[in-house]
Structure formats: structure tokens, C-alpha cells
Amino acid sequence: MSLSPARVFAALNAVRPPDQAFPVMDKAVVIGGSIAGMLAARVLSDHAESVVVIDRDDLHTTGGRPGVPQGTQLHALLPGGFLQLEQLFPGFREHALSQGAIEAPPAARRNYLDGRPKVVVPDDADSLAGSRPLLESLIRQQVLRLPNVKTVTARTTGLVFDGPVTTGVRCDVGGSTGVEHADLVVDAMGRSSRLSDWLAETGWERPPLRRMTVNLNYATALFRRHEANPEHAVVMALHSPTRSVDVAGAAFFAIEDGRWMAMMAGYGENRPGRTAEDFVRRLREQFPPEFAVVADSELLGDVQTYRHADSRRRDFPALTRLPARLVSVGDAVASFNPVYGQGITAAVLHAACLARYLRSGPDLDLPARHFFALQKVVVDAAWSISTSADLALPHVNGPYPRGYRFSSWVSRQIVAATVTDVVTARRFNEVVSMRKHPSSLAAPKVILDALRANRRAH
């Protein structure tokens, strides 16, 4: 690709929906009604006469879905993802607020590192806070209002090919098998996507799968919130990997229906917060004062736990043979340590990749290599952010990329500078919120500014 990753990343963040639709296909099929699947359907609605979303769950119901076991846990909508959603769905902010989402401008967000508050970046981008079921239902409502999008409640069992071209998917509806024909198939089946198996079963290559074991345990609890507009709607407190504590970090968000949602995480054998008593005690004793205020509120229901064994990515660009009219998005391509909150925003950027690809006027009878090349920029960026932090964990043993020792030192300097220096904090926030490519932090001026800030602080 002629553009540098940083320029591609910037272009994806600038993608706008077209003023008017220009179809390049008759029908597109999306397998999976996840957030990534719904965002793909939104993009496809501009380029297909009809879009069919297939999922085992009834997508017209409200609230959480059985197909999202992690839906009870805390989820973040990074500013980069929020800005993109506002582009895809004009008026998304107002609609979200009317449904109970909470505004989270910079002044309402507070971050701690090892107990020290980071500086607030006053001109940082706004965001929203809400539960995963709320955020997902907001996106789903917007997509299912589109006149050319419909859903099918069914179990997808395989792909249909005509030589080198994907022509549809096989579905099991009520015990009978049928075929949903398509001009483009989008895999949005999540971490447990069966696409690799289907490709291998029909003689295609299986995309290489890379894993990084993290063994993250996290627990989430709900508390009663009495303030309609709390001073701090989003509060996060992380502990450096070098600190000998059994809690990696905690966070709480103001969410809909007058509730706080609080999360606590640990690695390996550390499983803090498994009981209500342990959860509340740790919030009070091991974190800044804001957490004690939440802990003193009424606990609603049980503590919900979840385990994330590894980060993983499937390398579609590495395939020498790839069927045409087939792409994959969201966690089906790459899923990361959820502590960094990248999942929803990465899915939005995958949708931007799909939009850019379809606007280029591609020959759909050829493999979608241009799409996968664009998507790789997003995956590489998110992977580098999460795995560089994970590699610093005592229980993670690589593999370490070339130059890791130096890049790790630089990362530590930049993160340390975010505690006291607004300029460094702004640059760092733009990267972790996926508005800028991580390479922007490698510029000599950025590193020197961070070093100077750390020297001043000491």
C-alpha cells in the first residue's frame, strides 16, 4: 500500500457516509448481529440493494443478547469510536442521551496511575457512558430502521462457493437447511468465529491464528446512583505491572437507570472481587476516594465474573489463496485484552475500512485484499497498544517483538509523563482512543517532551 500506516489510519478516521447511496451489489449477508456486524450492515446499506443480518438471537428484542456472554461486564466507548458513531448515525449522541446514556466530557473523566491522578486534557474529545446492552441496542435500533436491512433468526452452518467466489451461506432454520445467496458475505461471528473451519473444510487455507495469553479475570457489579449528573462519570485507576499488587486496576462508569457499574481486574491466579464483600472492601481500601463513594452505595444484584484467556488475531492478509466476495470484521479478526477498552472502537474502524473499500469501486470477483490491507492497519495499531502493555506483565512471556526493550522504555516514559504534562497526555489519549496511529508517539519530539516532563516532575 502506498500510504503509510499513520496516513491510512488518519484517512479511516476521516471517513464520512456518502451523501447518497451508490449500490455496487444486489445483496450482502452479514453473519452475526454483534456490534461489528451491525456496523458492517450500516455501511453495506449504502452499497447494496438489500442487506441480510443472520444471527441465532432475535435481533429485534431489547437489552442484552445470549450470544454476548461478556455483556454483563463494563464496556468502554472510546472517544474515537463515539466520533465515528456520530458520523454513521447523525444525531446518535442525542438519541443515546434520551435512552439513558451519560455524557462523559473530559472534565467528567478521571484517570489514576498508581494512585496518582493524571492531568485532565481540557480539549479532549467527548464520550458517552452506558452499559454494553444499551450501547449495542442503540446501534441495532439505528441499523434496523434502515429500509434495506432485514434480519433472519437462524444458525449459520457454512459457506457456499462457486469456484473461487463466495455466493452465499447455509442456514439452519427450525431444523431445515436453506441457502441465503449473497454478492458479499461478512463474517461477524466474534472470537469463536467458525469461518476458519469452513474455509479449511472446503479446501481453502486457514488464516494463521496468533495468540497472546493474558489470563485476565475481571468482575463487575452494579450500585445505586443518586446523582443525575455526577461530577465524575468515568473514573479509572490502573496499577503499573511492576507493582506487586493482586489487582491490575478498577473502574466505574455512570450508566443508565440511575446506576454505577464498577469493574475490578486481576491476572493469573489473582481473582479479586469474586464475592460482594471482597469487591466492596477492595473498592474502599485499594483505590482513590471516588471508589469508596461508589462502594458505600447500595449494591444491586450479584457480582458478575468473566475470564479472558488470551488476545488473538487471524491474519487474512497472509493467505496466498482467498475466496472472493468474503470479508471478516470485529472480534472475528482480532480481539484484545478488554482492560484497554478497544473492542467497540476497533469494530467501528473496521466498518470504516469496509466503507473505504466499497467506495474504491472494487472488482468483487477478486479477493478483497485491499479491504484486508486497510483493516490490518487498524488491527496492527490496536494489537501494538494492547500487547505492548501486556508484555510488561510479570506472567506474560512473549513473544517479544524486535526492539521491545527500547520501545518498552519509551512507553514507560510517555505513560509517566501523562500524569503531569497536558501535551503528552493529549498525544497519548489520541492514540489510546484510536484517533491517531501509535507511530505518532515514536516521534523524537514526543519522546523528548515526555522526558522533559518527567524531569520536571521529579
Side-chain angles (χ1 to χ4, degrees):
M1 181 173 293
S2 59
L3 293 178
S4 70
R7 291 176 64 186
V8 171
F9 208 79
L12 292 175
N13 270 281
V15 164
R16 302 286 195 279
D19 293 332
Q20 60 182 23
F22 50 98
V24 296
M25 68 189 86
D26 289 332
K27 184 168 76 172
V29 169
V30 180
I31 312 171
S34 62
I35 288 178
M38 283 295 165
L39 293 172
R42 165 63 188 89
V43 169
L44 288 165
S45 70
D46 290 329
H47 303 279
E49 295 291 347
S50 65
V51 181
V52 177
V53 183
I54 304 173
D55 197 278
R56 289 177 296 180
D57 298 331
D58 182 357
L59 297 176
H60 291 273
T61 59
T62 59
R65 296 187 298 114
V68 188
Q70 75 277 25
T72 59
Q73 303 300 318
L74 189 71
H75 281 71
L77 176 59
L78 300 178
F82 174 49
L83 294 172
Q84 291 271 342
L85 287 175
E86 188 64 38
Q87 292 178 21
L88 286 170
F89 308 108
F92 182 85
R93 173 184 174 277
E94 286 75 15
H95 180 60
L97 293 175
S98 71
Q99 297 296 309
I102 307 298
E103 286 189 286
R109 303 196 297 266
R110 177 159 288 191
N111 289 274
Y112 289 88
L113 178 64
D114 297 333
R116 299 174 64 199
K118 292 186 177 185
V119 296
V120 175
V121 180
D123 58 348
D124 201 4
D126 290 347
S127 189
L128 289 174
S131 69
R132 165 66 183 256
L134 174 66
L135 294 173
E136 185 168 342
S137 66
L138 286 169
I139 294 169
R140 192 164 61 236
Q141 289 169 23
Q142 299 274 7
V143 174
L144 296 185
R145 288 196 187 104
L146 298 170
N148 61 337
V149 176
K150 73 170 188 175
T151 67
V152 172
T153 304
R155 185 172 67 92
T156 308
T157 58
L159 299 174
V160 180
F161 298 98
D162 182 4
V165 176
T166 312
T167 59
V169 299
R170 292 190 177 87
C171 303
D172 187 346
V173 184
S176 61
T177 301
V179 173
E180 192 77 45
H181 295 284
D183 298 300
L184 181 70
V185 173
V186 179
D187 163 31
M189 291 184 282
R191 278 172 61 90
S192 58
S193 169
R194 301 186 301 280
L195 180 64
S196 295
D197 294 334
W198 295 344
L199 289 173
E201 289 167 2
T202 49
W204 294 95
E205 295 177 73
R206 182 188 296 269
L209 176 64
R210 191 190 313 180
R211 298 176 185 262
M212 175 170 283
T213 301
V214 293
N215 288 328
L216 172 70
N217 311 294
Y218 53 112
T220 296
L222 296 169
F223 294 85
R224 182 79 63 197
R225 173 173 56 84
H226 297 290
E227 309 97 319
N229 298 294
E231 179 183 4
H232 297 116
V234 171
V235 180
M236 293 180 281
L238 295 180
H239 292 148
S240 297
T242 54
R243 295 192 65 188
S244 56
V245 294
D246 61 350
V247 186
F252 67 83
F253 292 1
I255 67 168
E256 68 276 10
D257 299 328
R259 296 175 296 171
W260 294 111
M261 178 175 276
M263 180 274 287
M264 195 176 302
Y267 290 101
E269 298 305 314
N270 297 322
R271 301 189 179 189
R274 283 184 293 175
T275 67
E277 294 76 12
D278 183 53
F279 197 102
V280 170
R281 178 185 63 80
R282 288 176 183 272
L283 285 183
R284 288 195 181 114
E285 298 177 359
Q286 296 182 247
F287 295 96
E290 295 94 332
F291 288 82
V293 174
V294 172
D296 289 339
S297 303
E298 177 190 358
L299 180 67
L300 304 174
D302 298 326
V303 176
Q304 302 292 327
T305 59
Y306 192 76
R307 182 173 178 81
H308 178 89
D310 56 26
S311 299
R312 60 182 67 171
R313 62 183 294 184
R314 295 177 173 92
D315 193 357
F316 286 92
L319 295 175
T320 57
R321 294 179 61 249
L322 181 66
R325 299 180 181 268
L326 178 67
V327 300
S328 190
V329 297
D331 284 357
V333 177
S335 62
F336 315 95
N337 185 333
V339 161
Y340 311 116
Q342 299 169 304
I344 296 175
T345 302
V348 181
L349 288 173
H350 289 194
C353 293
L354 185 59
R356 192 168 180 85
Y357 166 68
L358 292 174
R359 287 188 202 180
S360 69
D363 182 348
L364 295 179
D365 286 326
L366 297 176
R369 294 198 179 276
H370 179 48
F371 165 78
F372 284 115
L374 290 169
Q375 187 185 62
K376 184 177 185 298
V377 174
V378 176
V379 173
D380 285 347
W383 186 263
S384 69
I385 292 169
S386 65
T387 59
S388 62
D390 290 339
L391 285 170
L393 298 170
H395 69 284
V396 175
N397 299 312
Y400 298 93
R402 181 179 300 175
Y404 170 74
R405 184 171 297 181
F406 175 71
S407 64
S408 177
W409 175 82
V410 169
S411 295
R412 290 195 301 271
Q413 297 302 315
I414 291 174
V415 170
T418 64
V419 176
T420 60
D421 185 60
V422 171
V423 173
T424 303
R426 181 183 298 113
R427 292 165 174 164
F428 183 76
N429 289 353
E430 287 175 337
V431 169
V432 297
S433 67
M434 303 186 75
R435 287 174 283 157
K436 285 196 174 180
H437 193 270
S439 61
S440 64
L441 295 178
K445 179 175 174 25
V446 175
I447 299 170
L448 288 173
D449 285 348
L451 292 174
R452 292 190 187 104
N454 292 334
R455 190 178 302 115
R456 289 194 302 268
H458 286 87

